[in-house]
Amino acid sequence: MHSATIRAAARAAAPPSRLALRRPAALSSLASLTPGGGVHGSQTPSSPRRWRNKPLLRVHGEELYFKTGPEAVKLLANEANRRDGAKPLYLAQFESFMASLAPVFDRSPKYAWLAKILLEPERTVSFRVTYIDDWGNARTNRGWRVQYASSLGPYAGGLHFGRHVTADHLKAQAFDATFANALTGQRLGGAAGGSNFDPTLASEPEIQRFCQSFMTELGKYVGPGSDLPGLGVNVGAAEIGYMYGQYKRTAETLSKHGFGMLWGGSVPHPEVFGYSPVAFAANLLAARGDSLKGKRCLVTGSGKVALAVAERLVALGAVPLTLSDSSGHVYEPEGLPAAKLARIATIKAERGARVGRYIVASTTAAYNDPPDIYDVPCDIVFPTAYAGEIDAGAAEKLAARGCGLVVDAGYAPCEPTAIAAFKKLGVTYAPFRATMAAGVSVAWSSKERAILKPDVANAVDAEAARIHDEVVRTATEYNVRGDLHAGANIASFLRVADVMASHGCV
């Protein structure tokens, strides 16, 4: 017998080596998530038991397993804390979101591996922004863009200016934008960006020069088909116009006016972001056989979104009672009709103006009375002012004064402690990922022709109805019926995770 034949027979008869035994385990954990078994083409069926026999994490050489959904959530939260312990805002949002996914991990453990990938954004960019102030001095700020996930499509998310903007703040916003955008149906990824530049301390020429310098660097990382920045805190129509003006000076691909990248410098319908939470609330109440008509509504904030919320409430027969800013709040016991809202809008149109000036034009308004805006008796709250404005203490005040529904109308206005308090106190909570999605969907699907304002409201209403139904249906399917917070988180996560699985381990 030839020596080559003898060696082949010996290999066939010999027991498999330790390396050969371990080779299948070394294949991508995502292989069996895809119909064809991933890049390896394995058709081996997966089961919950098979997934639970794999370590979810390996930390300092220790392999960590889980048996239940809550155990998987705890492992992921601990790992996030190990990696980002210095980012409390991000950790609070990550842990609150993952806690809702325990039923998903219980039913399909494979999703825990996809959630693990989302511990890190795809890309984080930090850069210097230098501009000349009105006195001829060089000023330097820091800019960021966190591009969290692009599974569903190009990154998309707001830009924010202010002293409150940090890497922690933007990572939390980019993480949340990933799932908020998933509910829109527009095939958008998640991102957030901005700078610690404070426009309230700058003149209009300084703001323009800053925006131009900011976009000169940011323009290297954004564009049609890759990243679509949007409106945010202290970034309104004027700032969008300045940034697009600079973008088109250096970019090869431009956008039509009111359409595409930065909407060509002109946001077509900024009111949709205020109409969206009102439309969601209307659908929520309609499902209960109720309506907004006659409901006394507390609105925080006094920017474009807050004014659009109040405007839409008046149109649907509700009674907006308050508006606020950093100086305090105004309270109209009999409500803010369209004429009074127009006065406040005129005041706030002046950059840096404070809502307190409204009391000069009204004989019935109270200013900072009661001292805490959450002491005002109401039926529904629409918080738009800033992230984390409602904590557990404010939640208890609202419940004690008759509030039965809290509808997020801005980015994460309710802290996780407040969300837990609402559940304990029997107050229905509608999360921003669901309430704001209809507005984002309509904003990014703006047509090249002009759309009449009534048509915009109808488009938002239709999108809000679809999103509300999807959230309620998902909550029921995963045995958390009535929990809109969990329903929105699960529905959005599944949309992202299922596409991530088809892309492999990237």
Side-chain angles (χ1 to χ4, degrees), residues 131-134 139 141 197-210 239 351-352:
Y131 68 101
I132 302 296
D133 68 13
D134 291 341
R139 300 278 184 174
N141 291 90
F197 168 75
D198 188 352
T200 64
L201 303 178
S203 67
E204 198 68 25
E206 287 174 334
I207 292 172
Q208 179 175 338
R209 290 193 291 271
F210 174 84
E239 289 77 15
R351 193 184 290 274

Side-chain angles (χ1 to χ4, degrees), residues 411-461:
Y411 169 71
C414 298
E415 292 185 353
T417 56
I419 297 171
F422 290 142
K423 190 171 183 179
K424 181 179 178 181
L425 296 167
V427 176
T428 302
Y429 169 66
F432 70 94
R433 293 186 185 92
T435 61
M436 302 297 288
V440 175
S441 177
V442 173
W444 286 113
S445 61
S446 298
K447 307 300 181 184
E448 295 188 54
R449 60 180 177 80
I451 305 177
L452 298 176
K453 201 164 187 176
D455 295 333
V456 172
N458 292 336
V460 172
D461 290 344

Side-chain angles (χ1 to χ4, degrees), residues 346-419:
T346 301
I347 292 170
K348 295 298 291 185
E350 180 183 337
R351 193 184 290 274
R354 293 290 177 250
V355 73
R357 283 171 48 184
Y358 166 74
I359 62 172
V360 177
S362 174
T363 58
T364 57
Y367 182 61
N368 288 340
D369 183 20
D372 189 344
I373 192 172
Y374 301 117
D375 285 325
V376 175
C378 63
D379 301 310
I380 306 174
V381 176
F382 290 88
T384 78
Y386 57 90
E389 63 176 287
I390 299 180
D391 56 16
E396 292 175 359
K397 281 187 178 182
L398 290 170
R401 284 153 184 76
C403 176
L405 173 61
V406 176
V407 182
D408 284 353
Y411 169 71
C414 298
E415 292 185 353
T417 56
I419 297 171

Side-chain angles (χ1 to χ4, degrees), residues 137-375:
N137 299 317
R139 300 278 184 174
T140 301
N141 291 90
R142 185 175 294 173
W144 295 272
R145 187 66 173 172
V146 181
Q147 297 171 329
Y148 211 97
S150 59
S151 301
L152 293 178
Y155 305 106
L159 295 172
H160 312 277
F161 293 163
R163 286 172 288 180
H164 68 286
V165 176
T166 63
D168 179 20
H169 176 263
L170 293 177
K171 185 172 183 179
Q173 288 222 347
F175 175 80
D176 288 324
T178 299
F179 302 102
N181 290 344
L183 288 177
T184 66
Q186 289 299 319
R187 301 300 181 187
L188 296 170
S195 173
N196 55 4
F197 168 75
D198 188 352
T200 64
L201 303 178
S203 67
E204 198 68 25
E206 287 174 334
I207 292 172
Q208 179 175 338
R209 290 193 291 271
F210 174 84
C211 288
Q212 291 170 342
S213 179
F214 179 79
M215 182 49 67
T216 298
E217 183 64 23
L218 183 65
K220 301 174 183 177
Y221 311 101
V222 301
S226 61
D227 191 345
L228 303 168
L231 297 164
V233 177
N234 291 326
V235 177
E239 289 77 15
I240 291 292
Y242 295 149
M243 284 188 277
Y244 182 75
Q246 182 69 7
Y247 173 80
K248 72 184 180 68
R249 295 172 69 180
T250 56
E252 296 180 0
T253 304
L254 305 183
S255 299
K256 296 180 180 180
H257 190 68
F259 185 76
M261 174 66 179
L262 290 171
W263 299 281
S266 176
V267 184
H269 300 290
E271 68 273 9
V272 298
F273 301 105
Y275 288 3
S276 181
V278 177
F280 191 92
N283 280 278
L284 175 59
L285 292 172
R288 300 176 175 180
D290 201 352
S291 73
L292 282 168
K293 190 175 180 62
K295 295 291 189 295
R296 294 172 62 81
C297 301
L298 190 153
V299 181
T300 67
S302 56
K304 296 290 186 182
V305 172
L307 290 169
V309 166
E311 173 195 325
R312 192 61 183 153
L313 287 172
V314 170
L316 296 179
V319 184
L321 300 172
T322 62
L323 288 169
S324 67
D325 60 19
S326 58
S327 68
H329 64 273
V330 292
Y331 168 39
E332 283 280 9
E334 300 304 317
L336 287 160
K340 292 184 177 181
L341 288 174
R343 289 195 194 104
I344 296 176
T346 301
I347 292 170
K348 295 298 291 185
E350 180 183 337
R351 193 184 290 274
R354 293 290 177 250
V355 73
R357 283 171 48 184
Y358 166 74
I359 62 172
V360 177
S362 174
T363 58
T364 57
Y367 182 61
N368 288 340
D369 183 20
D372 189 344
I373 192 172
Y374 301 117
D375 285 325

